[in-house]
Amino acid sequence: MKKVITYGTFDLIHNGHINILRRAKEMGDYLIVAISTDEFNKIKNKKAYHSYENRKAILEAIRYVDEVIPEETWEQKVEDVIKHDVDLFVMGDDWKGKFDFLKEYCEVVYLPRTVGISTSKIKEDLFRVNNG
Ligand code: C2G
């Protein structure tokens, strides 16, 4: 069984997230998503609209996702890959090259981001719509 892992905040789930989750799953048999905790989001300087619990529940409802684990630190990836017996690490190509150190432990693939959508774009567009 080919196990795939990916990481992210996945706030205000949108088609860009769905595209990478679907493609990551299609590259293997089992997809683990490590979702950033609220505390780790502070370290990433990200403020999620949905709490960790809600973002986790939403991800678990997505057909491509087999397991959701917490992402609490930048340093946990090697341990995760070993502990969960992961064969393939997938991230959007805005992270291209940043996780190549994992190549010692598993395949590393960066997939093209979906153009025209992001959580921050959603927030900006909603702000504009509601503020004229
Ligand atoms: N993504 C995408 N296309 C978009 C938006 C996001 O392919 N239009 C991908 C990102 O490249 C990432 C995943 O969706 O692989 C999750 O995106 P975020 O929730 O923004 O994740 P990020 O804050 O980049 O966290 O340790 C890694 C970090 O936790 C990644």
Side-chain angles (χ1 to χ4, degrees), residues 49-116:
Y49 175 81
H50 289 303
S51 66
Y52 168 78
E53 291 69 27
N54 288 336
R55 287 182 287 115
K56 181 172 189 286
I58 291 166
L59 269 184
E60 285 171 340
I62 295 173
R63 68 175 63 200
Y64 307 117
V65 177
D66 295 291
E67 183 180 356
V68 178
I69 63 172
E71 178 185 32
E72 299 171 288
T73 70
W74 288 112
E75 295 76 25
Q76 71 182 74
K77 293 184 176 69
V78 171
E79 180 197 338
D80 290 345
V81 167
I82 294 166
K83 191 167 66 176
H84 293 276
D85 198 17
V86 168
D87 303 292
L88 168 62
F89 168 91
V90 172
M91 283 302 288
D93 63 4
D94 45 318
W95 293 94
K96 192 165 182 53
K98 297 286 187 307
F99 303 114
D100 288 356
F101 61 87
L102 289 170
K103 286 181 175 173
E104 267 180 76
Y105 305 94
C106 64
E107 244 183 291
V108 173
V109 169
Y110 302 99
L111 295 174
R113 277 173 71 92
T114 301
V115 174

Side-chain angles (χ1 to χ4, degrees), residues 6-11 13-21 23 33-36 40-41 44 46 55 71 73-74 76-77 89-95 99 111-120:
T6 192
Y7 292 73
T9 298
F10 293 101
D11 192 28
I13 280 285
H14 53 67
N15 52 298
H17 295 137
I18 297 301
N19 286 340
I20 195 156
L21 293 172
R23 295 177 69 198
V33 181
I35 183 168
S36 309
F40 184 55
N41 271 333
K44 293 200 299 187
K46 270 198 164 183
R55 287 182 287 115
E71 178 185 32
T73 70
W74 288 112
Q76 71 182 74
K77 293 184 176 69
F89 168 91
V90 172
M91 283 302 288
D93 63 4
D94 45 318
W95 293 94
F99 303 114
L111 295 174
R113 277 173 71 92
T114 301
V115 174
I117 186 73
S118 68
T119 304
S120 34

